[in-house]
Amino acid sequence: MRTVEFYEDDTRLALPPPRYDVGITRSEGDASAYRVEVTARTLLRDLALFPDRLDPAAEVDEMLVTLLPGESTVFRVTGAVIEDPGALGTRPVLRCVNDTLA
């Protein structure tokens, strides 16, 4: 695990608009589990996935991940019955500090 420090408040940072690629797959053998892979094209500050916005029972294994361009992370969602899995890769489910400042 690494730590990325920013020496200004988030509202004072000149963060770029968020750009990223998302791949979503349903986990094999478990219809209520998904794998959401996010690859940053720009710096993504405190990337978070809120699957409970699609299904209140959904849980995610990780939150507040900062990615540098080219880096990837995988969020694992469990306990979810989601009609449109593609929604896991869009706002307001997938968010980061960048898009609140853009």
Side-chain angles (χ1 to χ4, degrees):
M1 184 169 136
R2 77 160 179 223
T3 301
V4 179
E5 294 288 332
F6 293 86
Y7 295 99
E8 287 286 346
D9 292 331
D10 288 341
T11 56
R12 299 191 65 183
L13 293 173
L15 296 172
R19 291 187 345 178
Y20 48 83
D21 299 312
V22 180
I24 301 164
T25 54
R26 180 170 269 144
S27 295
E28 290 183 33
D30 186 352
S32 67
Y34 301 85
R35 183 179 185 277
V36 180
E37 182 173 5
V38 180
T39 302
R41 297 174 76 200
T42 60
L43 168 70
L44 301 177
R45 168 106 163 104
D46 288 346
L47 183 66
L49 185 67
F50 300 97
D52 57 324
R53 292 181 175 172
L54 300 174
D55 180 341
E59 295 181 3
V60 67
D61 66 338
E62 191 170 16
M63 286 287 223
L64 303 179
V65 177
T66 295
L67 296 176
L68 301 176
E71 292 182 332
S72 296
T73 193
V74 174
F75 295 103
R76 288 173 181 77
V77 177
T78 56
V81 177
I82 299 172
E83 288 182 33
D84 177 15
L88 288 166
T90 62
R91 290 176 77 179
V93 180
L94 184 63
R95 302 295 306 266
C96 66
V97 171
N98 305 51
D99 62 20
T100 62
L101 300 176

